[in-house]
Amino acid sequence: MVAKSINDTNGKELADLLRANAISFQDAMRAFAPSLTDDRGRVVTFTVAGADALVSRSMLPGYFAAKSALLSLVRSWAKVLAPRGIAVNAIAPGGIQTEMLRPLWENPELQQLMMPMVPLQRLGQPDEIGSVAAFLASEAASYINGQTIIVDGGLVT
């Protein structure tokens, strides 16, 4: 992830972010869509909380641009595969207690600064993301298509 301002993000870095997020999804969908089972196929990918709000980002603007492009592809593939009964959706996690965010959840001072922005006042747990993924992959979510489920403790609401 390139944690730079837009002024400091060069074209190669932006291209790398687009390649890792949007282009890789497009390539995977083109390769695997023909083999998905009609009337039961499910595709679930991951974006980031706030990527669906096309607003300027001072933090990680290239990353958010790449994740926004991914969401556009999710919606396009959802429409293309819908006649086959295949749903394509995304999960948009906020702060989840993973290794990537270890500095936040191990540092009380950082927690004091960040947690007031999250209405639930805590980081999410990995199993909370897993539960949403399992739901979207299930028959119970068969009428959900082209959507982004935000799992962020209320951060972007």
Side-chain angles (χ1 to χ4, degrees):
M1 187 177 336
V2 180
K4 295 181 175 183
S5 72
I6 199 67
N7 274 359
D8 296 327
T9 302
N10 65 45
K12 182 190 177 317
E13 291 164 331
L14 183 57
D16 289 346
L17 288 166
L18 287 165
R19 191 173 304 101
N21 292 279
I23 295 168
S24 63
F25 177 78
Q26 173 67 8
D27 290 346
M29 290 302 297
R30 290 189 68 227
F32 294 108
S35 65
L36 293 173
T37 304
D38 287 359
D39 298 322
R40 291 194 336 242
R42 302 285 182 270
V43 175
V44 179
T45 191
F46 293 89
T47 182
V48 64
D52 61 334
L54 294 176
V55 297
S56 173
R57 300 280 176 195
S58 58
M59 294 281 299
L60 307 170
Y63 180 71
F64 274 87
K67 290 298 190 178
S68 294
L70 172 61
L71 286 180
S72 180
L73 292 170
V74 164
R75 292 176 186 130
S76 295
W77 277 105
K79 285 185 178 184
V80 166
L81 295 176
R84 291 180 46 200
I86 298 169
V88 182
N89 294 293
I91 299 172
I96 305 299
Q97 193 167 333
T98 61
E99 284 303 310
M100 188 169 113
L101 291 182
R102 180 179 288 279
L104 174 59
W105 53 270
E106 285 187 340
N107 184 323
E109 291 84 26
L110 275 177
Q111 283 186 28
Q112 235 176 348
L113 289 171
M114 300 299 292
M115 287 305 105
M117 295 188 286
V118 180
L120 284 180
Q121 298 288 297
R122 66 177 179 83
L123 291 172
Q125 297 301 308
D127 65 324
E128 292 174 298
I129 301 300
S131 296
V132 175
F135 168 69
L136 287 174
S138 76
E139 192 60 30
S142 63
Y143 200 62
I144 298 173
N145 191 30
Q147 301 304 306
T148 302
I149 308 298
I150 301 168
V151 186
D152 70 350
L155 178 65
V156 298
T157 55

